[in-house]
Amino acid sequence: MSTASLESLNAALATVIDPELRRPITELGMVESVSAGDDGTVHLTVLLTIAGCPLRETITRDATAALSRVGGVTGVDVELKVMTPEQRNALKEQLRGPGGQRGIPFTRPESLTKVYAVASGKGGVGKSSVTVNLATALAAQGQRVGIVDADVHGFSVPALMGITQKPTQVDDMILPPVAYGVKVISIGMFVAGNQPVAWRGPMLHRALEQFLTDVYFGDLDALFLDLPPGTGDIAISVAQLLPNAEILVVTTPQAAAADVAERAGTIATQTGQKVAGVIENMSFLEMPDGGRMELFGSGGGAVLAERLSAAVGADVPLLGQIPLDIRLREGGDAGQPVVLAEQDTSAGLAMKEIAGKLAARPRGLAGMNLGIQPR
């Protein structure tokens, strides 16, 4: 006789996390039935959101492993079915809230997500690498993090994160791929090969709006938007769609780069956004003898932070200086963020320190309904 109780089987399944929605499959209504036979064989029926679920094997493997650890279980038989339209609608309503309402969740009054728009005045300053490593470092600290690759023409986030999986479409809801605990969406996931995206203003705005509306990120602690360089259409769209987004300006040390980056930060004076800080990348090269070679000059980040503080009328800190490090480039080419390297690197340590400063920033409660009634 099997000694596995229904209670113990359900408890085991509650530890199985859906790889896309990042919630227990029991909580998502994905477990249709589970039972144990007299010989100890467990029969499990799982409901997938769509027939072609790309992570069906992951769910099968994780469920089998969880059930196999229950005392008295001698084998596991997993059957995969697909949710009915009614079941999918119930799931979407559960995820999105009453009525399965669409809209940008990060602008709702109850949202506590810190939204960072990572900007630069010009290309080639390592903005995308900084975005990916900061997001991954926060996720490694246990935070729930997402990235929107808003650089539609120059998308690079999927490659930097090693993502080859396509998003899963559940009716009008898009489930983003997850890498290193970070949920990621990019137009690069929807184009074939390395095809260019030749879009103009209205199409760019619509793409960003759809990413923010239709992609299910869940309750995030932090959302990063990797913006294209400059102050063009996307920067304006972000200000319109996410007025609560704070700007992180990435620059390199030389004066010319700081001058251009200043424009990317001072756009906040026109949009009413805040500037969360300045990050100086490629600050110096550490030499074998312990010295530093400042290939691109020095002081640009500090000067930029000072100028932006004066321009926006609030303190804009220099959050950190990231040295040149070949392992940062190698990690990007391999799709493995340097902050996760087994051996600490100078660039990785600098990024972790900046991520720690962002993690320590409080999430504002101003204007929020806390559900407290006076007595």
Side-chain angles (χ1 to χ4, degrees):
M1 293 286 290
S2 171
T3 59
S5 67
L6 184 59
E7 181 180 0
S8 63
L9 296 177
N10 283 320
L13 290 172
T15 67
V16 180
I17 306 300
D18 180 89
E20 293 175 310
L21 295 171
R22 312 300 287 180
R23 290 167 67 173
I25 61 173
T26 50
E27 186 179 309
L28 297 171
M30 296 176 65
V31 177
E32 182 181 64
S33 63
V34 60
S35 62
D38 292 340
D39 61 351
T41 300
V42 174
H43 300 275
L44 169 67
T45 302
V46 174
L47 298 175
L48 302 175
T49 52
I50 59 172
C53 177
L55 296 175
R56 55 194 296 141
E57 293 182 3
T58 301
I59 296 173
T60 300
R61 183 187 66 241
D62 292 349
T64 299
L67 291 171
S68 296
R69 290 191 289 268
V70 176
V73 173
T74 59
V76 178
D77 176 37
V78 179
E79 180 184 4
L80 300 178
K81 293 184 178 180
V82 180
M83 289 183 175
T84 65
E86 293 75 20
Q87 289 170 327
R88 278 197 300 272
N89 287 335
L91 175 61
K92 288 189 294 180
E93 183 168 340
Q94 177 187 351
L95 297 174
R96 286 175 169 169
Q101 59 182 331
R102 298 177 67 187
I104 300 176
F106 309 109
T107 59
R108 293 173 184 164
E110 68 273 15
S111 175
L112 288 173
T113 302
K114 290 182 284 189
V115 182
Y116 295 112
V118 186
S120 67
K122 55 185 290 186
V125 300
K127 171 181 51 60
S128 297
S129 294
V130 169
T131 301
V132 162
N133 278 279
L134 290 180
T136 306
L138 285 176
Q141 295 177 20
Q143 295 210 15
R144 295 162 296 186
V145 187
I147 297 177
V148 172
D149 187 356
D151 193 350
V152 174
H153 294 139
F155 54 85
S156 58
V157 172
L160 292 171
M161 297 286 282
I163 297 174
T164 56
Q165 176 194 337
K166 299 293 185 182
T168 300
Q169 184 92 28
V170 182
D171 299 332
D172 61 353
M173 179 183 287
I174 299 172
L175 306 182
V178 180
Y180 308 111
V182 180
K183 296 182 178 181
V184 181
I185 195 69
S186 170
I187 196 66
M189 299 171 180
F190 299 91
V191 297
N194 200 29
Q195 292 296 311
V197 179
W199 291 352
R200 301 183 69 178
M203 294 180 70
L204 295 173
H205 181 91
R206 175 58 187 143
L208 180 60
E209 184 177 30
Q210 186 171 8
F211 281 167
L212 296 171
T213 302
D214 293 347
V215 176
Y216 177 75
F217 285 102
D219 183 18
L220 297 181
D221 294 298
L223 174 69
F224 289 86
L225 291 96
D226 184 28
L227 304 188
T231 56
D233 293 315
I234 289 291
I236 296 171
S237 292
V238 168
Q240 293 174 338
L241 297 170
L242 293 167
N244 58 323
E246 299 183 53
I247 301 173
L248 284 172
V249 184
V250 179
T251 186
T252 48
Q254 70 266 43
D259 288 342
V260 177
E262 184 178 355
R263 301 169 202 157
T266 52
I267 193 174
T269 61
Q270 302 177 35
T271 61
Q273 295 169 290
K274 295 180 180 179
V275 182
V278 172
I279 298 171
E280 185 184 274
N281 195 24
M282 309 180 195
S283 297
F284 53 85
L285 176 65
E286 291 184 339
M287 306 300 292
D289 62 1
R292 294 181 175 184
M293 180 183 292
E294 295 174 334
L295 296 173
F296 300 109
S298 64
V303 169
L304 176 58
E306 183 178 346
R307 289 180 185 174
L308 289 177
S309 296
V312 302
D315 178 51
V316 176
L318 175 61
L319 295 172
Q321 295 172 294
I322 304 168
L324 283 161
D325 193 326
I326 191 172
R327 288 164 294 188
L328 174 59
R329 191 272 303 166
E330 291 173 340
D333 288 344
Q336 299 171 347
V338 72
V339 293
L340 300 179
E342 290 185 12
Q343 182 178 1
D344 283 329
T345 64
S346 56
L349 287 171
M351 299 249 215
K352 289 179 184 178
E353 183 177 349
I354 296 170
K357 293 178 180 179
L358 295 180
R361 299 178 75 241
R363 298 199 282 187
L365 299 178
M368 292 191 62
N369 183 358
L370 300 181
I372 300 174
Q373 298 293 331
R375 297 184 62 181

